[in-house]
mmCIF file of all heavy atoms in Angstrom:
data_model
loop_
_atom_site.group_PDB
_atom_site.id
_atom_site.type_symbol
_atom_site.label_atom_id
_atom_site.label_comp_id
_atom_site.label_asym_id
_atom_site.label_seq_id
_atom_site.Cartn_x
_atom_site.Cartn_y
_atom_site.Cartn_z
ATOM 1 N N ALA A 254 -12.130 -1.898 13.117
ATOM 2 C CA ALA A 254 -11.226 -1.803 14.264
ATOM 3 C C ALA A 254 -9.958 -1.012 13.943
ATOM 4 O O ALA A 254 -9.470 -0.260 14.770
ATOM 5 C CB ALA A 254 -10.875 -3.192 14.782
ATOM 6 N N ARG A 255 -9.414 -1.178 12.767
ATOM 7 C CA ARG A 255 -8.172 -0.477 12.385
ATOM 8 C C ARG A 255 -8.427 0.546 11.282
ATOM 9 O O ARG A 255 -7.536 0.891 10.511
ATOM 10 C CB ARG A 255 -7.120 -1.495 11.946
ATOM 11 C CG ARG A 255 -6.705 -2.402 13.104
ATOM 12 C CD ARG A 255 -5.566 -3.299 12.777
ATOM 13 N NE ARG A 255 -4.333 -2.547 12.517
ATOM 14 C CZ ARG A 255 -3.236 -3.113 12.021
ATOM 15 N NH1 ARG A 255 -3.216 -4.401 11.744
ATOM 16 N NH2 ARG A 255 -2.150 -2.390 11.804
ATOM 17 N N ALA A 256 -9.638 1.055 11.231
ATOM 18 C CA ALA A 256 -10.028 1.961 10.151
ATOM 19 C C ALA A 256 -9.114 3.182 10.048
ATOM 20 O O ALA A 256 -8.748 3.584 8.939
ATOM 21 C CB ALA A 256 -11.477 2.388 10.307
ATOM 22 N N ASP A 257 -8.747 3.781 11.167
ATOM 23 C CA ASP A 257 -7.897 4.977 11.105
ATOM 24 C C ASP A 257 -6.549 4.671 10.451
ATOM 25 O O ASP A 257 -6.074 5.434 9.617
ATOM 26 C CB ASP A 257 -7.680 5.561 12.504
ATOM 27 C CG ASP A 257 -8.945 6.187 13.079
ATOM 28 O OD1 ASP A 257 -9.863 6.506 12.309
ATOM 29 O OD2 ASP A 257 -8.992 6.354 14.312
ATOM 30 N N ASP A 258 -5.940 3.547 10.832
ATOM 31 C CA ASP A 258 -4.659 3.153 10.231
ATOM 32 C C ASP A 258 -4.819 2.880 8.743
ATOM 33 O O ASP A 258 -4.003 3.319 7.927
ATOM 34 C CB ASP A 258 -4.099 1.900 10.908
ATOM 35 C CG ASP A 258 -3.660 2.148 12.343
ATOM 36 O OD1 ASP A 258 -3.558 3.318 12.755
ATOM 37 O OD2 ASP A 258 -3.412 1.151 13.039
ATOM 38 N N VAL A 259 -5.861 2.150 8.387
ATOM 39 C CA VAL A 259 -6.110 1.812 6.983
ATOM 40 C C VAL A 259 -6.314 3.087 6.167
ATOM 41 O O VAL A 259 -5.703 3.260 5.100
ATOM 42 C CB VAL A 259 -7.320 0.868 6.840
ATOM 43 C CG1 VAL A 259 -7.696 0.681 5.371
ATOM 44 C CG2 VAL A 259 -7.047 -0.468 7.511
ATOM 45 N N LEU A 260 -7.144 3.996 6.656
ATOM 46 C CA LEU A 260 -7.449 5.210 5.904
ATOM 47 C C LEU A 260 -6.224 6.112 5.752
ATOM 48 O O LEU A 260 -6.026 6.717 4.690
ATOM 49 C CB LEU A 260 -8.611 5.960 6.552
ATOM 50 C CG LEU A 260 -9.947 5.227 6.473
ATOM 51 C CD1 LEU A 260 -10.989 5.929 7.328
ATOM 52 C CD2 LEU A 260 -10.422 5.093 5.034
ATOM 53 N N LEU A 261 -5.391 6.191 6.773
ATOM 54 C CA LEU A 261 -4.165 6.983 6.658
ATOM 55 C C LEU A 261 -3.233 6.375 5.611
ATOM 56 O O LEU A 261 -2.683 7.082 4.759
ATOM 57 C CB LEU A 261 -3.461 7.095 8.007
ATOM 58 C CG LEU A 261 -2.173 7.921 8.004
ATOM 59 C CD1 LEU A 261 -2.413 9.328 7.469
ATOM 60 C CD2 LEU A 261 -1.600 7.986 9.408
ATOM 61 N N CYS A 262 -3.082 5.061 5.627
ATOM 62 C CA CYS A 262 -2.227 4.400 4.639
ATOM 63 C C CYS A 262 -2.790 4.556 3.227
ATOM 64 O O CYS A 262 -2.030 4.783 2.275
ATOM 65 C CB CYS A 262 -2.038 2.928 5.000
ATOM 66 S SG CYS A 262 -0.999 2.691 6.458
ATOM 67 N N VAL A 263 -4.101 4.443 3.082
ATOM 68 C CA VAL A 263 -4.735 4.658 1.776
ATOM 69 C C VAL A 263 -4.421 6.068 1.282
ATOM 70 O O VAL A 263 -4.038 6.264 0.121
ATOM 71 C CB VAL A 263 -6.255 4.409 1.853
ATOM 72 C CG1 VAL A 263 -6.979 4.994 0.644
ATOM 73 C CG2 VAL A 263 -6.538 2.926 1.986
ATOM 74 N N SER A 264 -4.561 7.054 2.150
ATOM 75 C CA SER A 264 -4.269 8.441 1.760
ATOM 76 C C SER A 264 -2.828 8.589 1.289
ATOM 77 O O SER A 264 -2.560 9.252 0.278
ATOM 78 C CB SER A 264 -4.505 9.391 2.937
ATOM 79 O OG SER A 264 -5.856 9.422 3.288
ATOM 80 N N GLU A 265 -1.902 7.984 2.011
ATOM 81 C CA GLU A 265 -0.490 8.093 1.649
ATOM 82 C C GLU A 265 -0.189 7.402 0.323
ATOM 83 O O GLU A 265 0.504 7.956 -0.530
ATOM 84 C CB GLU A 265 0.399 7.524 2.758
ATOM 85 C CG GLU A 265 0.348 8.305 4.055
ATOM 86 C CD GLU A 265 0.809 9.749 3.919
ATOM 87 O OE1 GLU A 265 1.605 10.065 2.997
ATOM 88 O OE2 GLU A 265 0.386 10.575 4.739
ATOM 89 N N LEU A 266 -0.713 6.192 0.135
ATOM 90 C CA LEU A 266 -0.437 5.460 -1.110
ATOM 91 C C LEU A 266 -1.060 6.160 -2.316
ATOM 92 O O LEU A 266 -0.442 6.248 -3.383
ATOM 93 C CB LEU A 266 -0.934 4.026 -1.006
ATOM 94 C CG LEU A 266 -0.242 3.134 0.023
ATOM 95 C CD1 LEU A 266 -0.805 1.714 -0.035
ATOM 96 C CD2 LEU A 266 1.264 3.120 -0.162
ATOM 97 N N VAL A 267 -2.279 6.654 -2.165
ATOM 98 C CA VAL A 267 -2.943 7.349 -3.276
ATOM 99 C C VAL A 267 -2.233 8.659 -3.585
ATOM 100 O O VAL A 267 -2.008 8.996 -4.752
ATOM 101 C CB VAL A 267 -4.438 7.560 -2.963
ATOM 102 C CG1 VAL A 267 -5.081 8.514 -3.949
ATOM 103 C CG2 VAL A 267 -5.168 6.223 -2.961
ATOM 104 N N THR A 268 -1.867 9.401 -2.551
ATOM 105 C CA THR A 268 -1.146 10.658 -2.776
ATOM 106 C C THR A 268 0.171 10.405 -3.494
ATOM 107 O O THR A 268 0.523 11.116 -4.443
ATOM 108 C CB THR A 268 -0.912 11.390 -1.441
ATOM 109 O OG1 THR A 268 -2.185 11.692 -0.858
ATOM 110 C CG2 THR A 268 -0.134 12.682 -1.647
ATOM 111 N N ASN A 269 0.907 9.381 -3.077
ATOM 112 C CA ASN A 269 2.154 9.035 -3.762
ATOM 113 C C ASN A 269 1.909 8.669 -5.219
ATOM 114 O O ASN A 269 2.678 9.062 -6.104
ATOM 115 C CB ASN A 269 2.862 7.883 -3.055
ATOM 116 C CG ASN A 269 3.586 8.322 -1.809
ATOM 117 O OD1 ASN A 269 3.723 9.504 -1.539
ATOM 118 N ND2 ASN A 269 4.036 7.358 -1.028
ATOM 119 N N ALA A 270 0.855 7.912 -5.474
ATOM 120 C CA ALA A 270 0.536 7.550 -6.863
ATOM 121 C C ALA A 270 0.242 8.798 -7.681
ATOM 122 O O ALA A 270 0.727 8.941 -8.806
ATOM 123 C CB ALA A 270 -0.650 6.585 -6.903
ATOM 124 N N LEU A 271 -0.524 9.714 -7.117
ATOM 125 C CA LEU A 271 -0.872 10.934 -7.847
ATOM 126 C C LEU A 271 0.341 11.812 -8.106
ATOM 127 O O LEU A 271 0.480 12.389 -9.182
ATOM 128 C CB LEU A 271 -1.935 11.722 -7.079
ATOM 129 C CG LEU A 271 -3.304 11.063 -6.992
ATOM 130 C CD1 LEU A 271 -4.226 11.863 -6.097
ATOM 131 C CD2 LEU A 271 -3.915 10.892 -8.373
ATOM 132 N N LEU A 272 1.233 11.904 -7.119
ATOM 133 C CA LEU A 272 2.402 12.772 -7.270
ATOM 134 C C LEU A 272 3.516 12.157 -8.104
ATOM 135 O O LEU A 272 4.228 12.855 -8.819
ATOM 136 C CB LEU A 272 2.962 13.128 -5.888
ATOM 137 C CG LEU A 272 2.088 14.021 -5.017
ATOM 138 C CD1 LEU A 272 2.711 14.181 -3.640
ATOM 139 C CD2 LEU A 272 1.870 15.373 -5.679
ATOM 140 N N HIS A 273 3.680 10.834 -8.002
ATOM 141 C CA HIS A 273 4.863 10.203 -8.596
ATOM 142 C C HIS A 273 4.576 9.088 -9.594
ATOM 143 O O HIS A 273 5.477 8.692 -10.321
ATOM 144 C CB HIS A 273 5.758 9.616 -7.489
ATOM 145 C CG HIS A 273 6.079 10.591 -6.414
ATOM 146 N ND1 HIS A 273 6.881 11.691 -6.613
ATOM 147 C CD2 HIS A 273 5.693 10.630 -5.113
ATOM 148 C CE1 HIS A 273 6.977 12.368 -5.479
ATOM 149 N NE2 HIS A 273 6.273 11.752 -4.558
ATOM 150 N N GLY A 274 3.366 8.548 -9.609
ATOM 151 C CA GLY A 274 3.141 7.347 -10.396
ATOM 152 C C GLY A 274 2.121 7.436 -11.507
ATOM 153 O O GLY A 274 2.045 6.545 -12.333
ATOM 154 N N VAL A 275 1.336 8.499 -11.521
ATOM 155 C CA VAL A 275 0.281 8.595 -12.533
ATOM 156 C C VAL A 275 0.640 9.696 -13.522
ATOM 157 O O VAL A 275 0.697 10.871 -13.163
ATOM 158 C CB VAL A 275 -1.094 8.897 -11.885
ATOM 159 C CG1 VAL A 275 -2.174 9.015 -12.950
ATOM 160 C CG2 VAL A 275 -1.462 7.820 -10.866
ATOM 161 N N PRO A 276 0.907 9.330 -14.769
ATOM 162 C CA PRO A 276 1.216 10.342 -15.787
ATOM 163 C C PRO A 276 0.013 11.256 -16.041
ATOM 164 O O PRO A 276 -1.133 10.851 -15.831
ATOM 165 C CB PRO A 276 1.533 9.512 -17.037
ATOM 166 C CG PRO A 276 1.841 8.141 -16.533
ATOM 167 C CD PRO A 276 1.014 7.964 -15.298
ATOM 168 N N PRO A 277 0.257 12.475 -16.501
ATOM 169 C CA PRO A 277 -0.843 13.393 -16.815
ATOM 170 C C PRO A 277 -1.851 12.748 -17.771
ATOM 171 O O PRO A 277 -1.481 12.020 -18.692
ATOM 172 C CB PRO A 277 -0.138 14.579 -17.482
ATOM 173 C CG PRO A 277 1.251 14.545 -16.916
ATOM 174 C CD PRO A 277 1.570 13.083 -16.740
ATOM 175 N N GLY A 278 -3.118 13.007 -17.508
ATOM 176 C CA GLY A 278 -4.184 12.476 -18.351
ATOM 177 C C GLY A 278 -4.572 11.040 -18.048
ATOM 178 O O GLY A 278 -5.422 10.465 -18.708
ATOM 179 N N ARG A 279 -3.963 10.438 -17.044
ATOM 180 C CA ARG A 279 -4.255 9.048 -16.695
ATOM 181 C C ARG A 279 -4.839 8.975 -15.300
ATOM 182 O O ARG A 279 -5.095 9.978 -14.660
ATOM 183 C CB ARG A 279 -3.005 8.208 -16.801
ATOM 184 C CG ARG A 279 -2.510 8.195 -18.255
ATOM 185 C CD ARG A 279 -1.463 7.244 -18.400
ATOM 186 N NE ARG A 279 -1.842 6.186 -19.315
ATOM 187 C CZ ARG A 279 -0.969 5.311 -19.725
ATOM 188 N NH1 ARG A 279 0.255 5.346 -19.269
ATOM 189 N NH2 ARG A 279 -1.307 4.386 -20.575
ATOM 190 N N GLY A 280 -4.975 7.758 -14.800
ATOM 191 C CA GLY A 280 -5.542 7.566 -13.480
ATOM 192 C C GLY A 280 -4.891 6.403 -12.770
ATOM 193 O O GLY A 280 -3.891 5.854 -13.218
ATOM 194 N N PHE A 281 -5.492 6.024 -11.663
ATOM 195 C CA PHE A 281 -5.003 4.900 -10.871
ATOM 196 C C PHE A 281 -6.197 4.060 -10.454
ATOM 197 O O PHE A 281 -7.336 4.498 -10.470
ATOM 198 C CB PHE A 281 -4.236 5.385 -9.630
ATOM 199 C CG PHE A 281 -5.125 6.088 -8.631
ATOM 200 C CD1 PHE A 281 -5.703 5.387 -7.584
ATOM 201 C CD2 PHE A 281 -5.385 7.433 -8.760
ATOM 202 C CE1 PHE A 281 -6.535 6.022 -6.684
ATOM 203 C CE2 PHE A 281 -6.220 8.079 -7.862
ATOM 204 C CZ PHE A 281 -6.789 7.370 -6.828
ATOM 205 N N ARG A 282 -5.912 2.837 -10.068
ATOM 206 C CA ARG A 282 -6.943 1.906 -9.625
ATOM 207 C C ARG A 282 -6.598 1.451 -8.212
ATOM 208 O O ARG A 282 -5.450 1.152 -7.918
ATOM 209 C CB ARG A 282 -7.014 0.718 -10.575
ATOM 210 C CG ARG A 282 -8.184 -0.189 -10.343
ATOM 211 C CD ARG A 282 -8.370 -1.160 -11.497
ATOM 212 N NE ARG A 282 -8.514 -0.506 -12.791
ATOM 213 C CZ ARG A 282 -9.643 0.017 -13.264
ATOM 214 N NH1 ARG A 282 -10.732 -0.011 -12.548
ATOM 215 N NH2 ARG A 282 -9.684 0.561 -14.456
ATOM 216 N N LEU A 283 -7.603 1.412 -7.346
ATOM 217 C CA LEU A 283 -7.428 0.899 -6.003
ATOM 218 C C LEU A 283 -8.190 -0.408 -5.882
ATOM 219 O O LEU A 283 -9.360 -0.475 -6.263
ATOM 220 C CB LEU A 283 -7.938 1.895 -4.958
ATOM 221 C CG LEU A 283 -7.790 1.385 -3.528
ATOM 222 C CD1 LEU A 283 -7.042 2.383 -2.684
ATOM 223 C CD2 LEU A 283 -9.131 1.078 -2.915
ATOM 224 N N HIS A 284 -7.512 -1.445 -5.401
ATOM 225 C CA HIS A 284 -8.145 -2.735 -5.113
ATOM 226 C C HIS A 284 -8.160 -2.909 -3.607
ATOM 227 O O HIS A 284 -7.153 -2.637 -2.935
ATOM 228 C CB HIS A 284 -7.369 -3.890 -5.739
ATOM 229 C CG HIS A 284 -7.435 -3.934 -7.219
ATOM 230 N ND1 HIS A 284 -6.817 -4.928 -7.940
ATOM 231 C CD2 HIS A 284 -8.029 -3.133 -8.131
ATOM 232 C CE1 HIS A 284 -7.033 -4.735 -9.229
ATOM 233 N NE2 HIS A 284 -7.755 -3.640 -9.364
ATOM 234 N N LEU A 285 -9.259 -3.397 -3.096
ATOM 235 C CA LEU A 285 -9.413 -3.640 -1.670
ATOM 236 C C LEU A 285 -9.926 -5.062 -1.499
ATOM 237 O O LEU A 285 -10.952 -5.422 -2.074
ATOM 238 C CB LEU A 285 -10.419 -2.633 -1.102
ATOM 239 C CG LEU A 285 -10.587 -2.540 0.399
ATOM 240 C CD1 LEU A 285 -9.281 -2.102 1.051
ATOM 241 C CD2 LEU A 285 -11.697 -1.550 0.728
ATOM 242 N N TYR A 286 -9.164 -5.876 -0.754
ATOM 243 C CA TYR A 286 -9.512 -7.278 -0.530
ATOM 244 C C TYR A 286 -9.654 -7.529 0.968
ATOM 245 O O TYR A 286 -8.837 -7.063 1.751
ATOM 246 C CB TYR A 286 -8.386 -8.220 -0.988
ATOM 247 C CG TYR A 286 -7.979 -8.137 -2.425
ATOM 248 C CD1 TYR A 286 -6.989 -7.263 -2.828
ATOM 249 C CD2 TYR A 286 -8.561 -8.972 -3.367
ATOM 250 C CE1 TYR A 286 -6.588 -7.206 -4.155
ATOM 251 C CE2 TYR A 286 -8.152 -8.933 -4.692
ATOM 252 C CZ TYR A 286 -7.172 -8.041 -5.077
ATOM 253 O OH TYR A 286 -6.772 -7.991 -6.385
ATOM 254 N N LEU A 287 -10.624 -8.324 1.329
ATOM 255 C CA LEU A 287 -10.720 -8.826 2.691
ATOM 256 C C LEU A 287 -10.849 -10.333 2.622
ATOM 257 O O LEU A 287 -11.765 -10.857 1.981
ATOM 258 C CB LEU A 287 -11.927 -8.240 3.429
ATOM 259 C CG LEU A 287 -12.181 -8.835 4.819
ATOM 260 C CD1 LEU A 287 -11.027 -8.550 5.762
ATOM 261 C CD2 LEU A 287 -13.490 -8.323 5.384
ATOM 262 N N GLU A 288 -9.922 -11.024 3.246
ATOM 263 C CA GLU A 288 -9.953 -12.483 3.326
ATOM 264 C C GLU A 288 -10.586 -12.852 4.666
ATOM 265 O O GLU A 288 -9.930 -12.788 5.704
ATOM 266 C CB GLU A 288 -8.538 -13.050 3.221
ATOM 267 C CG GLU A 288 -8.478 -14.555 3.303
ATOM 268 C CD GLU A 288 -9.311 -15.251 2.249
ATOM 269 O OE1 GLU A 288 -9.023 -15.061 1.046
ATOM 270 O OE2 GLU A 288 -10.255 -15.970 2.623
ATOM 271 N N PRO A 289 -11.884 -13.203 4.665
ATOM 272 C CA PRO A 289 -12.565 -13.486 5.929
ATOM 273 C C PRO A 289 -11.970 -14.647 6.710
ATOM 274 O O PRO A 289 -11.980 -14.636 7.937
ATOM 275 C CB PRO A 289 -13.996 -13.815 5.510
ATOM 276 C CG PRO A 289 -14.161 -13.256 4.152
ATOM 277 C CD PRO A 289 -12.791 -13.300 3.522
ATOM 278 N N ALA A 290 -11.427 -15.626 6.024
ATOM 279 C CA ALA A 290 -10.913 -16.813 6.714
ATOM 280 C C ALA A 290 -9.768 -16.485 7.667
ATOM 281 O O ALA A 290 -9.707 -17.020 8.767
ATOM 282 C CB ALA A 290 -10.463 -17.861 5.697
ATOM 283 N N ASP A 291 -8.861 -15.597 7.247
ATOM 284 C CA ASP A 291 -7.739 -15.276 8.130
ATOM 285 C C ASP A 291 -7.721 -13.829 8.599
ATOM 286 O O ASP A 291 -6.832 -13.419 9.329
ATOM 287 C CB ASP A 291 -6.401 -15.641 7.481
ATOM 288 C CG ASP A 291 -6.070 -14.791 6.271
ATOM 289 O OD1 ASP A 291 -6.807 -13.848 5.955
ATOM 290 O OD2 ASP A 291 -5.030 -15.065 5.640
ATOM 291 N N GLY A 292 -8.713 -13.045 8.182
ATOM 292 C CA GLY A 292 -8.814 -11.671 8.655
ATOM 293 C C GLY A 292 -7.764 -10.731 8.103
ATOM 294 O O GLY A 292 -7.361 -9.788 8.765
ATOM 295 N N THR A 293 -7.313 -10.958 6.866
ATOM 296 C CA THR A 293 -6.324 -10.076 6.248
ATOM 297 C C THR A 293 -7.024 -9.100 5.308
ATOM 298 O O THR A 293 -7.783 -9.504 4.426
ATOM 299 C CB THR A 293 -5.284 -10.880 5.451
ATOM 300 O OG1 THR A 293 -4.618 -11.767 6.345
ATOM 301 C CG2 THR A 293 -4.260 -9.966 4.799
ATOM 302 N N LEU A 294 -6.753 -7.824 5.504
ATOM 303 C CA LEU A 294 -7.246 -6.766 4.636
ATOM 304 C C LEU A 294 -6.064 -6.279 3.807
ATOM 305 O O LEU A 294 -5.018 -5.926 4.350
ATOM 306 C CB LEU A 294 -7.809 -5.617 5.467
ATOM 307 C CG LEU A 294 -8.306 -4.423 4.670
ATOM 308 C CD1 LEU A 294 -9.604 -4.776 3.943
ATOM 309 C CD2 LEU A 294 -8.519 -3.229 5.585
ATOM 310 N N ARG A 295 -6.216 -6.279 2.480
ATOM 311 C CA ARG A 295 -5.134 -5.856 1.577
ATOM 312 C C ARG A 295 -5.603 -4.673 0.747
ATOM 313 O O ARG A 295 -6.687 -4.698 0.166
ATOM 314 C CB ARG A 295 -4.715 -7.004 0.671
ATOM 315 C CG ARG A 295 -3.550 -6.654 -0.254
ATOM 316 C CD ARG A 295 -3.146 -7.870 -1.074
ATOM 317 N NE ARG A 295 -2.143 -7.567 -2.051
ATOM 318 C CZ ARG A 295 -0.850 -7.887 -1.939
ATOM 319 N NH1 ARG A 295 -0.425 -8.534 -0.873
ATOM 320 N NH2 ARG A 295 0.003 -7.595 -2.891
ATOM 321 N N VAL A 296 -4.764 -3.654 0.689
ATOM 322 C CA VAL A 296 -5.000 -2.454 -0.108
ATOM 323 C C VAL A 296 -3.936 -2.430 -1.190
ATOM 324 O O VAL A 296 -2.753 -2.565 -0.896
ATOM 325 C CB VAL A 296 -4.883 -1.184 0.768
ATOM 326 C CG1 VAL A 296 -5.023 0.068 -0.081
ATOM 327 C CG2 VAL A 296 -5.878 -1.201 1.912
ATOM 328 N N GLU A 297 -4.351 -2.255 -2.438
ATOM 329 C CA GLU A 297 -3.407 -2.136 -3.550
ATOM 330 C C GLU A 297 -3.718 -0.879 -4.346
ATOM 331 O O GLU A 297 -4.873 -0.635 -4.690
ATOM 332 C CB GLU A 297 -3.521 -3.323 -4.502
ATOM 333 C CG GLU A 297 -3.149 -4.647 -3.924
ATOM 334 C CD GLU A 297 -3.266 -5.787 -4.921
ATOM 335 O OE1 GLU A 297 -3.762 -5.572 -6.061
ATOM 336 O OE2 GLU A 297 -2.866 -6.901 -4.556
ATOM 337 N N VAL A 298 -2.687 -0.109 -4.661
ATOM 338 C CA VAL A 298 -2.829 1.054 -5.536
ATOM 339 C C VAL A 298 -2.020 0.768 -6.792
ATOM 340 O O VAL A 298 -0.806 0.588 -6.734
ATOM 341 C CB VAL A 298 -2.357 2.348 -4.846
ATOM 342 C CG1 VAL A 298 -2.461 3.528 -5.808
ATOM 343 C CG2 VAL A 298 -3.188 2.620 -3.594
ATOM 344 N N HIS A 299 -2.728 0.693 -7.917
ATOM 345 C CA HIS A 299 -2.127 0.379 -9.218
ATOM 346 C C HIS A 299 -1.971 1.676 -10.008
ATOM 347 O O HIS A 299 -2.949 2.389 -10.200
ATOM 348 C CB HIS A 299 -3.047 -0.555 -10.018
ATOM 349 C CG HIS A 299 -3.274 -1.879 -9.372
ATOM 350 N ND1 HIS A 299 -2.881 -3.054 -9.959
ATOM 351 C CD2 HIS A 299 -3.855 -2.236 -8.196
ATOM 352 C CE1 HIS A 299 -3.210 -4.067 -9.192
ATOM 353 N NE2 HIS A 299 -3.804 -3.598 -8.107
ATOM 354 N N ASP A 300 -0.744 1.974 -10.447
ATOM 355 C CA ASP A 300 -0.551 3.142 -11.299
ATOM 356 C C ASP A 300 0.155 2.713 -12.582
ATOM 357 O O ASP A 300 0.630 1.589 -12.691
ATOM 358 C CB ASP A 300 0.203 4.261 -10.574
ATOM 359 C CG ASP A 300 1.656 3.943 -10.286
ATOM 360 O OD1 ASP A 300 2.389 3.550 -11.222
ATOM 361 O OD2 ASP A 300 2.078 4.091 -9.129
#
């Protein structure tokens, strides 16, 4: 239902990590959680 919003935010967070948070030669990790009980989708970008 909110895929467009989620995907735009994912693009922004990943781009920021690549430009500002990931040192050369390294990478980043994305975690995606869905809590079915309350319907919360959480996106985390770890750098």
